[in-house]
Amino acid sequence: MDFANLASQLNAGTIVPEGIVIVTLLGVLIVDLILGRTSSRWIGYLAIAGLFASIVALYFEWDNTNPISFGGAFNGDDLSIVFRGIVALSAIVTILMSIRYVEQSGTALAEFIAILLSATLGGMFLSGAGELVMIFISLETLSISSYLLTGYTKRDPRSNEAALKYLLIGASSTAVFLYGASLLYGLSGGETELSAIANGIAISGFGQSLGLVIALVFVVAGIGFKISAAPFHQWTPDVYEGAPTPVIAFLSVGSKAAGFALAIRLLTTAFPLVADEWKFVFTALAVLSMVLGNVVALAQTSMKRMLAYSSIGQAGFVMIGLVAGTQAGYASMVFYLLVYLFMNLCGFTCVILFSLRTGTDQIVEYSGLYQKDPLLTLGLSISLLSLGGIPPLAGFFGKIYLFWAGWQAGEYGLVLLGLVTTVVSIYYYIRVVRMMVVKEPHEMSDVVKNYPEVRWNLPGYRPLQVGLVATLIATSIAGILSNPLFTLANNSIAHTAILQPTTVVTTQVSAMNNE
Amino acid sequence: MLSTLIWLPILGAAVISLLPRAIPAINIRLTALTVAGLALLWNIFLFLKFDISNSGMQLQEYLPWNDTLGLSYQLGADGLSILMLILNSLLTWIAIYSSSQQTERPRLFYSLILFVSGGVAGAIAAQNLLLFFLFYELELIPFYLLISIWGGQKRAYAAMKFLIYTAVSGALILATFLGTVWLTGSTSFNYDALSTETLSTALQIILLAGIVLGFGIKIPLIPLHTWLPDAYVEASAPVAILLGGVLAKLGTYGILRFGMALFPQAWSIIAPTLAIWGAVSAIYGALTAIAQKDIKRMVAYSSIGHMGYILLAAAASTSLALIGAITQMVSHGIILAILFHLVGVVEAKVGTRDLDKLNGLMSPIRGLPLISALLVLGGMASAGIPGMVGFIAEFIVFQGSFSVFPIPTLLCVVASGLTAVYFVILLNRTCFGKLDNNLAYYPKVLWSEKIPALVLAVLILFLGIQPTWLVRWSEPTSTAMVAAIPPVEKAVTTQVALNQKT
């Protein structure tokens, strides 16, 4: 094999965005090693610049005519690009949030950012991984970084407990996933590449066998853990409550997006033979997640725990698009994850700001905040209402598209359940808005009575403000001016080769079902 | 054209919310009043431009918005919506005018009211189902805040109840819209592109049931009405005016526009049920109102009763009945607005709404004579006394419906009689009798507080004496809407009903 042939086989240009992230990661570590803590003033911006460069590089990769690289181990198609973009963007906002938060907790910023960047790297590789070993490695990169981030504030016992719990559940679900992957390897007669697995299984005659179904269920357990779908959600509330808030902001958006990217790629490429089965499994997961996430969130008193259950519910909504299994279904997932990025990160930024200024995250302590901090009140209200699907905010359009796609695919029950649970979710989102906006001055909580003067020029507050305003604007207008985002989401699906044959098959199936 | 009605108030709301804190409440109120006044003037201008002889959509506007969702910014008005639009503008102006000059947190209050007004105008003008739904849901949060910040004692409970009921209504409506559009094979939500003829009757009935239940919560029909007494009573006077005068009309408007006009066949099948439902609602509202001890609660239940007539008329779906329904929507909006305004004034001056404590307000010197006189007029108008707009509307409804559903119509006539009963109770307890000498040192009613009621009273009398001005706008539209409804079921029920009578 000559060099030119090897280079074209490797096609290393597709991972330039990840390359930039790696260089940034190393840069952050080395700078910190040389300069020590004095660098923490600007090291965050270095990481942000690197991530921006990575997103720019992703832009140039768009509509790559030759996306398969590293002999099939990585697939740089438009689907992966849009998910890698979501992961990188969520990391940017997370860094904006964490500069002050990590400083205040008395821990080192550079290590935090380095671990966060490696989690980002794992998520970005996972979005495009096309081979079982590659999937496992990137999944573990993401997971191990997440465990480390969860326990980062190690003087806090809750953070320790959360990290241990997360590690235990995560490790066992990874093991289950790995068992499923090894079954797939065996069933397909020794293939690790996703596209080859489907063919291998079809040829070897294990088409609808019990082994394939077991492999499917095991793999789904691993994915369900990442996207925190009930009943694999149990880590979510504890981790969200214990871990540093910027970390859970990343876990709720970046990690979840990577999990959904994995779900789409793995299920459509490796399991087309049991499409009805995995749709059934995900229908069950979606039903459970929507009901459990939204009903249990009603009873939460801590903001972070409430957002944890709400994120379980939101994962349930996104799964409607996955179950629909049509082009519109996948596109609605992408669109919803994009707007979910804005609204959830906006919400978490406000939660961080509030806890930085007051040191608490109990919902009752938000009473009467409108008088002291109008911007925070506006930001949290808009993001929560958007999560609840109130027009004309971004979340409304996201939900409409999900429901529309679900209805088109004939998933009436799921859509109706989604509508009902949306009504339920409005209740607990509006409860927080009521605390902040409706409460009279004399009903103000003690914490808000002693609220410090709002100042943005303290170290680390300016990036928080920038992040808050940017995500707030995006949440408010991304719905009304949603055409570019819709085009992006639709194109990312329409231009992705792996989704084309399966979508044809699934539409035929659904057409037959309709008859 | 119609866009101005939507965006002028919303823009005004944005400007008001950004005004500096130092500006006193009274100036903010003045700004809001100016914005609402401009919107009203513009609406009157559109009203005069409106071509009465044209039964189709006029003043249309179209902008592509989102092809993926089939959502487009398509507006238009016909005889049904133009009346609702002007009612909305008028009542917004009245509501802002009747708000207290010392309202707490004025910037938020007035921007929310203007926002709501723009949203309602958008919902009425929307010619795209999804656009309608967007504007419909837009009311949710502002009204929640309006009730829960500026309401009475139990406002938190009332506001939450309102929110949940309305959200459920929205969910039902969205589900039905999605169902209708997808099952008819339409690629967009545009109203004029929809035709349900291809659907099986059973499916049509299911979808229509979704529409009726969804909007029935908003109207409200019993047994979906339980949010209404709480929300109306706990809301402050201007908010109650908007809730009852405008928001309830969105419900009936929705039933007419999306129930009756989209599902003519299914409509003719379920019409008898609806007629009975409307009659039961009317009777129930009247009987419950009689039992109330709180004047605001009484007026709230009267609202349930009066909305029942609209359902009866819509079910009858003769051309005359439909005109009656539209007229009743307008007349109920005006009458409810004057009643809630007057009740608000009485409460502000006397300090109670309790029928057992109020007495002798008619007393010329120390009472509130003009307010009482107007209250008598409002009560009479509501009860359907000739010479006022309430009578015109009810009479057209009854005349239009009698030939189709004689028994429900008679029940509604009985309910109309009961309306007179509880308004007489109300007037007797509040306006007549003797003042309590120890308590009766009421503040003076300012002229500015009387003006909205006087305007509405003039309107009630004028339209009552000269009803053509109210009726003629909707005649071609209602004829066209009714023409599409098959008369089969109606004929059968008429014969059966007549046979029973002979």
Side-chain angles (χ1 to χ4, degrees):
Chain A
M1 195 187 285
D2 59 306
F3 179 75
N5 199 352
L6 183 70
S8 74
Q9 272 252 311
L10 279 183
N11 195 9
T14 47
I15 57 159
V16 168
E18 283 80 3
I20 297 175
V21 175
I22 294 179
V23 171
T24 317
L25 168 73
L26 293 175
V28 167
L29 277 179
I30 292 168
V31 166
D32 183 59
L33 213 57
I34 296 170
L35 294 178
R37 283 205 93 152
T38 49
S39 65
S40 68
R41 273 290 167 82
W42 49 272
I43 204 155
Y45 304 109
L46 178 72
I48 289 170
L51 286 167
F52 261 120
S54 166
I55 290 178
V56 171
L58 280 175
Y59 175 78
F60 286 110
E61 299 269 318
W62 186 258
D63 276 348
N64 192 344
T65 46
N66 181 19
I68 311 284
S69 54
F70 295 99
F74 190 79
N75 194 340
D77 51 12
D78 287 358
L79 179 74
S80 83
I81 289 178
V82 81
F83 276 105
R84 283 143 88 194
I86 293 177
V87 174
L89 211 56
S90 74
I92 290 180
V93 185
T94 307
I95 293 175
L96 284 175
M97 292 177 194
S98 55
I99 292 176
R100 179 71 203 168
Y101 190 93
V102 173
E103 281 292 297
Q104 193 151 321
S105 70
T107 42
L109 183 64
E111 286 162 35
F112 180 86
I113 289 179
I115 304 174
L116 181 69
L117 285 178
S118 54
T120 312
L121 206 58
M124 287 172 81
F125 274 126
L126 190 58
S127 306
E131 201 240 358
L132 287 178
V133 180
M134 179 71 190
I135 289 176
F136 181 71
I137 290 176
S138 43
L139 187 66
E140 274 302 86
T141 312
L142 176 58
S143 298
I144 293 174
S145 315
S146 307
Y147 309 146
L148 290 173
L149 287 172
T150 304
Y152 195 72
T153 46
K154 58 176 184 273
R155 287 189 194 84
D156 180 358
R158 284 192 310 173
S159 178
N160 282 317
E161 187 194 331
L164 186 62
K165 251 183 196 164
Y166 194 21
L167 171 68
L168 287 175
I169 301 180
S172 40
S173 82
T174 316
V176 172
F177 181 85
L178 190 58
Y179 193 56
S182 58
L183 266 177
L184 272 183
Y185 175 69
L187 287 171
S188 62
E191 299 288 351
T192 56
E193 222 177 296
L194 294 185
S195 48
I197 286 175
N199 288 331
I201 293 175
I203 292 166
S204 60
F206 288 108
Q208 299 266 340
S209 68
L210 184 64
L212 188 61
V213 174
I214 291 177
L216 168 72
V217 173
F218 281 7
V219 166
V220 168
I223 296 172
F225 164 75
K226 267 276 158 277
I227 59 179
S228 54
F232 311 106
H233 70 283
Q234 274 114 342
W235 60 274
T236 322
D238 295 322
V239 169
Y240 276 42
E241 199 178 20
T245 320
V247 173
I248 56 174
F250 179 77
L251 287 185
S252 72
V253 179
S255 173
K256 198 168 271 189
F260 274 114
L262 172 66
I264 295 181
R265 192 174 296 277
L266 191 58
L267 294 173
T268 55
T269 351
F271 293 101
L273 295 170
V274 282
D276 287 339
E277 280 80 1
W278 67 254
K279 277 187 186 155
F280 177 72
V281 171
F282 269 94
T283 309
L285 294 189
V287 168
L288 277 175
S289 303
M290 284 192 281
V291 171
L292 192 132
N294 286 308
V295 172
V296 179
L298 291 173
Q300 301 307 315
T301 54
S302 142
M303 195 69 197
K304 282 160 84 175
R305 256 188 119 80
M306 189 204 90
L307 284 172
Y309 281 105
S310 119
S311 89
I312 296 170
Q314 302 281 346
F317 292 134
V318 179
M319 274 184 263
I320 295 179
L322 186 65
V323 173
T326 53
Q327 290 223 14
Y330 297 127
S332 69
M333 284 174 74
V334 171
F335 182 77
Y336 198 79
L337 285 169
L338 272 168
V339 297
Y340 181 67
L341 171 105
F342 299 128
M343 53 201 188
N344 220 33
L345 291 181
C346 181
F348 272 116
T349 310
C350 295
V351 172
I352 287 176
L353 258 174
F354 186 76
S355 71
L356 281 178
R357 287 181 178 147
T358 61
T360 171
D361 71 350
Q362 293 297 308
I363 293 176
V364 282
E365 303 287 3
Y366 282 78
S367 295
L369 189 64
Y370 79 95
Q371 286 209 314
K372 302 281 180 146
D373 198 341
L375 177 66
L376 182 52
T377 310
L378 181 72
L380 195 50
S381 306
I382 294 282
S383 60
L384 289 180
L385 292 178
S386 179
L387 282 168
I390 302 293
L393 305 169
F396 172 77
F397 286 83
K399 280 215 177 101
I400 290 278
Y401 194 19
L402 275 175
F403 293 156
W404 180 220
W407 199 279
Q408 277 182 322
E411 302 291 340
Y412 306 119
L414 271 185
V415 172
L416 290 178
L417 185 68
L419 284 167
V420 171
T421 47
T422 301
V423 173
V424 175
S425 79
I426 289 175
Y427 179 84
Y428 61 78
Y429 290 128
I430 202 88
R431 205 158 55 109
V432 181
V433 177
R434 197 186 83 192
M435 284 295 166
M436 296 187 296
V437 181
V438 176
K439 292 283 180 184
E440 306 287 331
H442 63 86
E443 294 169 312
M444 207 182 262
S445 69
D446 290 338
V447 166
V448 175
K449 269 182 198 145
N450 303 321
Y451 200 75
E453 194 193 343
V454 176
R455 286 170 63 194
W456 296 104
N457 49 9
L458 297 170
Y461 273 100
R462 194 62 74 185
L464 265 171
Q465 190 190 21
V466 170
L468 170 59
V469 171
T471 48
L472 175 60
I473 291 175
T475 309
S476 318
I477 66 167
I480 298 165
L481 305 175
S482 53
N483 264 336
L485 284 184
F486 269 104
T487 316
L488 177 75
N490 290 339
N491 283 348
S492 72
I493 300 303
H495 296 177
T496 300
I498 56 160
L499 297 177
Q500 301 315 317
T502 52
T503 45
V504 171
V505 169
T506 46
T507 43
Q508 278 170 353
V509 168
S510 61
M512 279 162 64
N513 287 347
N514 284 344
E515 285 162 15
Chain B
M1 286 277 149
L2 288 170
S3 281
T4 318
L5 288 182
I6 305 170
W7 299 110
L8 182 70
I10 291 183
L11 209 66
V15 168
I16 285 175
S17 63
L18 295 175
L19 286 177
R21 231 172 242 248
I23 293 183
I26 189 154
N27 291 356
I28 295 174
R29 178 168 172 271
L30 209 61
T31 320
L33 211 52
T34 318
V35 175
L38 285 176
L40 178 61
L41 285 178
W42 182 256
N43 210 337
I44 292 172
F45 167 70
L46 288 184
F47 201 60
L48 297 176
K49 261 190 72 168
F50 189 79
D51 176 15
I52 301 175
S53 56
N54 183 348
S55 68
M57 284 293 160
Q58 302 178 40
L59 308 165
Q60 290 197 327
E61 282 176 48
Y62 176 82
L63 273 178
W65 189 353
N66 192 324
D67 287 338
T68 314
L69 292 180
L71 169 66
S72 63
Y73 182 77
Q74 190 171 11
L75 304 180
D78 63 0
L80 170 60
S81 34
I82 194 82
L83 281 168
M84 295 301 109
L85 283 172
I86 197 147
L87 181 71
N88 173 39
S89 295
L90 176 71
L91 292 192
T92 309
W93 191 83
I94 300 268
I96 293 177
Y97 196 98
S98 68
S99 64
S100 154
Q101 305 201 345
Q102 283 91 37
T103 308
E104 303 252 317
R105 297 165 73 179
R107 291 180 302 164
L108 187 60
F109 183 78
Y110 292 111
S111 46
L112 286 177
I113 286 200
L114 285 175
F115 192 75
V116 162
S117 166
V120 171
I124 294 169
Q127 294 302 314
N128 178 293
L129 266 60
L130 206 51
L131 187 69
F132 170 84
F133 180 73
L134 199 156
F135 280 118
Y136 185 79
E137 287 283 278
L138 212 58
E139 276 38 287
L140 192 64
I141 299 301
F143 261 114
Y144 170 80
L145 292 176
L146 282 170
I147 298 172
S148 65
I149 298 180
W150 294 275
Q153 286 287 315
K154 278 169 59 192
R155 57 181 184 271
Y157 170 75
M160 194 52 94
K161 205 166 170 182
F162 167 81
L163 181 80
I164 301 290
Y165 270 82
T166 315
V168 170
S169 143
L172 273 169
I173 291 166
L174 180 63
T176 325
F177 281 178
L178 289 176
T180 313
V181 170
W182 180 243
L183 293 172
T184 55
S186 172
T187 49
S188 78
F189 283 84
N190 287 347
Y191 183 78
D192 48 15
L194 280 178
S195 160
T196 56
E197 279 171 16
T198 52
L199 299 181
S200 70
T201 315
L203 213 50
Q204 282 198 36
I205 290 180
I206 292 173
L207 291 171
L208 182 58
I211 296 259
V212 169
L213 287 178
F215 287 111
I217 294 176
K218 203 79 164 194
I219 291 179
L221 302 170
I222 55 158
L224 313 170
H225 69 285
T226 57
W227 62 270
L228 178 137
D230 292 305
Y232 280 24
V233 171
E234 294 307 321
S236 60
V239 179
I241 290 174
L242 284 180
L243 261 181
V246 178
L247 210 62
K249 302 305 170 296
L250 263 189
T252 45
Y253 171 82
I255 284 209
L256 291 181
R257 170 79 71 214
F258 302 109
M260 185 177 181
L262 278 184
F263 302 96
Q265 275 154 357
W267 183 265
S268 68
I269 294 171
I270 68 162
T273 323
L274 290 181
I276 294 166
W277 197 354
V280 172
S281 244
I283 295 266
Y284 173 88
L287 288 177
T288 332
I290 291 177
Q292 300 306 316
K293 291 283 172 214
D294 177 326
I295 47 179
K296 215 167 175 183
R297 213 163 252 278
M298 224 174 209
V299 176
Y301 278 106
S302 88
S303 173
I304 297 181
H306 284 102
M307 299 305 270
Y309 304 155
I310 300 175
L311 196 67
L312 168 75
S317 53
T318 58
S319 170
L320 192 62
L322 194 58
I323 295 173
I326 298 169
T327 316
Q328 171 72 3
M329 276 152 82
V330 177
S331 97
H332 174 254
I334 301 174
I335 295 170
L336 198 72
I338 191 172
L339 287 173
F340 271 135
H341 174 76
L342 294 170
V343 169
V345 172
V346 168
E347 190 186 3
K349 302 296 167 189
V350 183
T352 178
R353 295 191 312 251
D354 199 331
L355 276 182
D356 295 336
K357 293 186 183 142
L358 288 166
N359 233 338
L361 294 181
M362 204 63 141
S363 156
I365 300 159
R366 285 173 55 206
L368 312 168
L370 186 63
I371 295 296
S372 314
L374 288 170
L375 198 58
V376 172
L377 181 116
M380 280 161 58
S382 186
I385 304 292
M388 281 166 278
V389 68
F391 169 76
I392 302 295
E394 286 176 24
F395 189 75
I396 302 178
V397 167
F398 296 151
Q399 196 181 0
S401 319
F402 186 77
S403 59
V404 189
F405 300 118
I407 294 173
T409 309
L410 287 175
L411 283 175
C412 279
V413 174
V414 172
S416 178
L418 292 172
T419 310
V421 170
Y422 62 74
F423 270 113
V424 166
I425 295 177
L426 189 153
L427 299 174
N428 191 21
R429 297 275 189 87
T430 51
C431 302
F432 304 116
K434 263 188 169 175
L435 275 179
D436 184 339
N437 279 330
N438 298 322
L439 297 173
Y441 295 97
Y442 305 137
K444 233 179 142 44
V445 182
L446 303 172
W447 266 106
S448 60
E449 289 168 317
K450 297 175 189 163
I451 287 179
L454 284 172
V455 171
L456 289 170
V458 168
L459 211 55
I460 288 173
L461 286 171
F462 174 73
L463 292 177
I465 294 164
Q466 195 55 264
T468 338
W469 280 74
L470 183 54
V471 172
R472 62 176 181 167
W473 307 98
S474 55
E475 265 174 298
T477 307
S478 16
T479 316
M481 278 173 85
V482 167
I485 296 179
V488 193
E489 295 287 324
K490 287 191 286 192
V492 172
T493 45
T494 321
Q495 277 169 0
V496 172
L498 287 177
N499 286 342
Q500 282 168 347
K501 288 192 79 183
T502 49

